Amino acid sequence: GDSVTQMEGPVTLSEEAFLTINCTYTATGYPSLFWYVQYPGEGLQLLLKATKADDKGSNKGFEATYRKETTSFHLEKGSVQVSDSAVYFCALKGGGTSYGKLTFGQGTILTVHP
Amino acid sequence: DAGVIQSPRHEVTEMGQEVTLRCKPISGHDYLFWYRQTMMRGLELLIYFNNNVPIDDSGMPEDRFSAKMPNASFSTLKIQPSEPRDSAVYFCASTLGLAGNQETQYFGPGTRLLVL
């Protein structure tokens, strides 16, 4: 079945540091890939997405590129801020019998210090 | 729009009691999803509806769990009887469709359930 594996956290960075959160996936067909962010006490919000190979999703300075050859969708940001502290989830939307269903990674806690 | 609305935000109950969680999706969204989030298992899809009809309930853990969507603006997730292992955050999400620009799921703030 479909699965998503994220790098284990927590990740702790200083403000303005470079961020990478690794995400790899296993799926049949051509899934859509997503990054969701969850701020404390809130529900998940879509951060960015990509729907086909080599697409780059971007939002709020975050980027991720859909790499079919390595089945990866790593999240990057060049300069993090304290306000980026949250939990980040990589997810895929599969096809076939899983069509429409989101499969999430386990989440990565990011803490950014001033 | 107010977004997806869930109630209650917090629920504390004793083992064996019935628990009902409520969700109001974004108006016009045809799909509604119920998820459960725990430290051990992460985010799991329990069930989803299309136009008020349950489409896939394969994630519902056991018969103690049931979900209904009597109309386009309201859904419930019921646990009867509740057990301590049901303690989790339960999220409701809705979306316009399952493909293209309609596929983004919008999540509610969640209900934090504690079963003692």
Side-chain angles (χ1 to χ4, degrees):
Chain A
D2 296 344
S3 67
V4 176
T5 302
Q6 288 181 234
M7 66 181 287
E8 291 193 15
V11 175
T12 303
L13 296 173
S14 297
E15 207 164 23
E16 299 184 2
F18 184 85
L19 169 70
T20 300
I21 301 177
N22 290 339
C23 171
T24 57
Y25 68 89
T26 302
T28 55
Y30 303 94
S32 296
L33 301 174
F34 305 82
W35 278 99
Y36 277 83
V37 58
Q38 184 180 27
Y39 298 101
E42 298 183 12
L44 281 72
Q45 304 173 26
L46 178 67
L47 181 59
L48 54 85
K49 73 175 191 180
T51 57
K52 61 183 187 297
D54 300 325
D55 268 1
K56 178 186 283 188
S58 62
N59 186 25
K60 299 181 181 179
F62 291 89
E63 293 183 340
T65 301
Y66 189 144
R67 301 286 188 200
K68 194 172 192 308
E69 65 276 13
T70 55
T71 62
S72 64
F73 193 54
H74 304 321
L75 182 68
E76 297 182 337
K77 186 175 186 182
S79 176
V80 294
Q81 306 299 311
V82 172
S83 57
D84 294 327
S85 299
V87 184
Y88 292 81
F89 292 90
C90 185
L92 70 83
K93 182 172 72 72
T97 56
S98 299
Y99 185 72
K101 296 165 67 171
L102 283 177
T103 300
F104 287 89
Q106 65 269 40
T108 301
I109 299 172
L110 170 66
T111 303
V112 181
H113 293 297
Chain B
D1 200 313
V4 176
I5 299 172
Q6 291 186 248
S7 64
R9 292 294 306 275
H10 302 273
E11 177 80 28
V12 180
T13 191
E14 293 187 345
M15 182 175 63
Q17 296 297 306
E18 178 180 296
V19 175
T20 300
L21 311 181
R22 297 172 177 80
C23 175
K24 176 178 167 53
I26 293 173
S27 177
H29 282 194
D30 291 334
Y31 291 83
L32 183 141
F33 302 80
W34 282 101
Y35 292 89
R36 179 172 66 176
Q37 184 181 38
T38 61
M39 289 295 292
M40 292 299 295
R41 300 175 66 90
L43 264 165
E44 305 172 281
L45 176 65
L46 300 178
I47 185 172
Y48 79 93
F49 295 83
N50 175 216
N51 291 328
N52 314 337
V53 176
I55 302 301
D56 187 335
D57 65 355
S58 59
M60 295 286 263
E62 50 197 276
D63 291 345
R64 297 185 298 106
F65 286 69
S66 63
K68 295 181 179 179
M69 193 165 185
N71 57 61
S73 58
F74 184 65
S75 177
T76 60
L77 178 67
K78 186 176 294 186
I79 308 172
Q80 166 62 18
S82 58
E83 296 183 3
R85 60 194 169 116
D86 302 330
S87 298
V89 182
Y90 291 81
F91 288 104
C92 178
S94 70
T95 185
L96 280 167
L98 297 183
N101 292 331
Q102 298 185 339
E103 66 184 351
T104 299
Q105 292 189 21
Y106 294 85
F107 283 74
T111 295
R112 188 174 296 273
L113 173 65
L114 177 61
V115 183
L116 302 173

